[in-house]
Structures are given as C-alpha cells and as structure tokens.
Amino acid sequence: MAAKEEKKQNAIVETIKTIVYALLIAGVFRTLFFQPFWIPSGSMKETLLVGDFLFVNKMAYGYSYASCPSLIMPRFGINVDAKDICGMFDGDNTRLLGGEPERGDVVVFRHPVSGRDYIKRLIGLPGDSIQMRDGVVFINGAAAPQEPAGVFEEIMEPQGPEGRRPRCANGPVGDGGVCQKTRFIETLPGGTEHIVLDIAPQASDRTGVYRVPEGHYFFMGDNRDNSADSRLAQQVQGVGFVPYENLIGRADRIMFSSAGRSMLFFWTWRGDRFFKAVE
C-alpha cells in the first residue's frame, strides 16, 4: 500500500515538473525568438485585420527590457509587466545585439507610458521631420506619394472579442450594411509600398512638424483616421515618439485569422489569410 502511495506521489511530482519545464521553455522561446500577438483593433487595416494572429520576430532588432514578456489578465487579477522581470535593463535606450529597424516595417512596441503592446508602421526615423498635410505624410519636406486604389469594404458588425464596430467613409451604416473606406497605395522613401485607408477629413490629417529625436521612432497606423499613434502626444492617449529600447519586434507573417468573437468559431476563420506575409 505504501509503495502504491509513493508511486502516486512520484507521478504527481513528475507531472508538476513537466509543466514547470514546459512553461520555462515557452518563456525562453517567447523572450528570445517569437512572441504571439492578436490584432485587437482596426488601426492597421487593411494590412492587418481584427482577429489576425501573428508571431513577432524578436530577433530582428535585438533585445532590451521590453523583450521580456508581460502577462496582463485583469479578469483574473494578473498583471506581470516586463519591467517587473527585466526592469534592471530599462533606462539606457540601448539593445543587446541591436538591429536597426527600416522605414515601412510593421513593428510591435511598448507604449512609452502605459506599457501596453502596440502595433503600427514605422514612418519616421531618428532625425526625420514628419508632417501631415491634407492626409498626406511629408517626410523631410517631401510627400510620400499616394495613388488611388479603389475602395476597402467590410460588413458593419461587431468585430473581434471586444466587439468594436468599424468607422465608415460612406456615412452611418446599419448592422449588416457595407462599410467603405477609400484606399491608397502609399510609397515611402526607399520604395516601400503599402495600403493606407482614408475615412474623412479630421484634425490628424493636418499637423505641425514633428522632429524625431535621436534614439526614437515615429509610428502611424495604416487606417490613418482610426489610429492613436505618434501624431498624438502620450498625454492624450497617443503614442508620441517611441524609444529604441521599447521596440519588441517585427511583424513578418500572419499565421491565423478569425473574423469572429472567438477563435473557436471555425466558420469565421479567414483561410485566405493563413501564413500571409505582412507587407
């Protein structure tokens, strides 16, 4: 009887050890190589849609305190921030094995104030001047050309787990209606092309000149009229200039995509977006 009880206890210990080892391996993998990221909002449409799932390439820019994973689950009272684990590396704005991001990269980074992970397109490099004039971005005084590219359409309905509804250029649209946005192909210095969307004239289409400090970057969403990004100061829920050390990694490829409120709703999976490159 004692031998049987001891065997049972050993089995429990081995199970616990297996779980601990698996979590450690997953933690190391996520810290050093790839971090999973769900797209929660429409700020990067149509490049990234609500419900896209991708892995962020952490090797692209090297490592800093921001490379440590955060685990934030308010529903369960869990709030483990990257600074709680790797805060001793914060503050010098440097990186280990650091690589320089390129203009046009789609980057995941830590918000300089809230610490939450954001994903946007890199528009301004250190030393650049950036300005919006009537919806067109000017980089160092030269316009990034925009070529008309038709209309982006989506169904007006709650999107993703948060149930957000899209904004439309074709006025108020009821549930089930077709929501439209004007598409443009924007070309950045160096030749990178990507789709940007326009909804309506607004204040963020016309700005003063932003001068990107050394060691910082300027980010914008592709869905230009529905993005809290570097055009807004951090104090007004924007992003402002992002320090080099706050970069987490580059988004290279969409692995999975679901248009529904849950990834378990297989009838809402977007098969045409599986393994799609992020451009």
Side-chain angles (χ1 to χ4, degrees), residues 14-32 34 36 69 71 73 78 85:
E14 289 302 317
T15 300
I16 294 173
K17 286 169 63 176
T18 300
I19 294 173
V20 170
Y21 291 152
L23 290 174
L24 287 173
I25 292 171
V28 170
F29 184 85
R30 180 175 175 180
T31 299
L32 296 181
F34 298 97
L71 184 60
M73 302 173 67
I78 299 175
I85 305 171

Side-chain angles (χ1 to χ4, degrees), residues 33-199:
F33 303 111
F34 298 97
Q35 175 175 317
F37 190 86
W38 283 97
I39 303 301
S41 71
S43 68
M44 281 295 294
K45 291 176 182 177
E46 68 182 67
T47 304
L48 297 172
L49 303 181
V50 178
D52 283 349
F53 175 79
L54 48 86
F55 282 103
V56 179
N57 180 358
K58 289 190 166 185
M59 298 177 286
Y61 310 135
Y63 306 95
S64 71
Y65 85 95
S67 301
C68 285
S70 297
L71 184 60
I72 302 174
M73 302 173 67
R75 182 181 303 177
F76 301 102
I78 299 175
N79 187 5
V80 180
D81 188 79
K83 283 190 177 182
D84 297 332
I85 305 171
C86 298
M88 73 285 293
F89 302 114
D90 181 23
D92 57 3
N93 204 25
T94 59
R95 306 182 72 86
L96 177 66
L97 304 176
E100 294 296 328
E102 298 182 3
R103 195 191 315 274
D105 285 357
V106 177
V107 180
V108 174
F109 57 89
R110 274 178 60 95
H111 189 285
V113 175
S114 71
R116 295 301 179 94
D117 292 350
Y118 275 49
I119 184 166
K120 307 288 180 185
R121 190 176 298 276
L122 176 54
I123 299 296
L125 301 173
D128 282 347
S129 65
I130 309 292
Q131 184 180 25
M132 293 294 293
R133 304 181 194 172
D134 296 323
V136 176
V137 61
F138 281 70
I139 303 173
N140 298 322
Q146 291 185 354
E147 179 182 345
V151 175
F152 171 76
E153 295 185 341
E154 57 187 335
I155 300 300
M156 172 57 74
E157 61 184 355
Q159 297 181 347
E162 298 179 7
R164 300 183 183 182
R165 285 175 167 78
R167 289 180 59 203
C168 312
N170 54 327
V173 176
D175 280 4
V178 177
C179 177
Q180 298 180 336
K181 299 174 181 62
T182 306
R183 298 171 81 247
F184 296 91
I185 298 175
E186 180 175 85
T187 304
L188 298 175
T192 300
E193 295 182 348
H194 58 276
I195 297 293
V196 296
L197 302 181
D198 180 67
I199 300 173

Side-chain angles (χ1 to χ4, degrees), residues 40-45 107 109-112 114 116-121 164 167 199 202 204 210 217-242:
S41 71
S43 68
M44 281 295 294
K45 291 176 182 177
V107 180
F109 57 89
R110 274 178 60 95
H111 189 285
S114 71
R116 295 301 179 94
D117 292 350
Y118 275 49
I119 184 166
K120 307 288 180 185
R121 190 176 298 276
R164 300 183 183 182
R167 289 180 59 203
I199 300 173
Q202 59 186 46
S204 58
Y210 303 95
Y217 297 89
F218 190 97
F219 290 93
M220 294 174 62
D222 290 349
N223 190 2
R224 291 285 164 80
D225 294 339
N226 194 40
S227 175
D229 50 41
S230 292
R231 291 171 291 176
L232 292 175
Q234 299 161 9
Q235 292 78 8
V236 289
Q237 299 183 342
V239 170
F241 303 121
V242 177

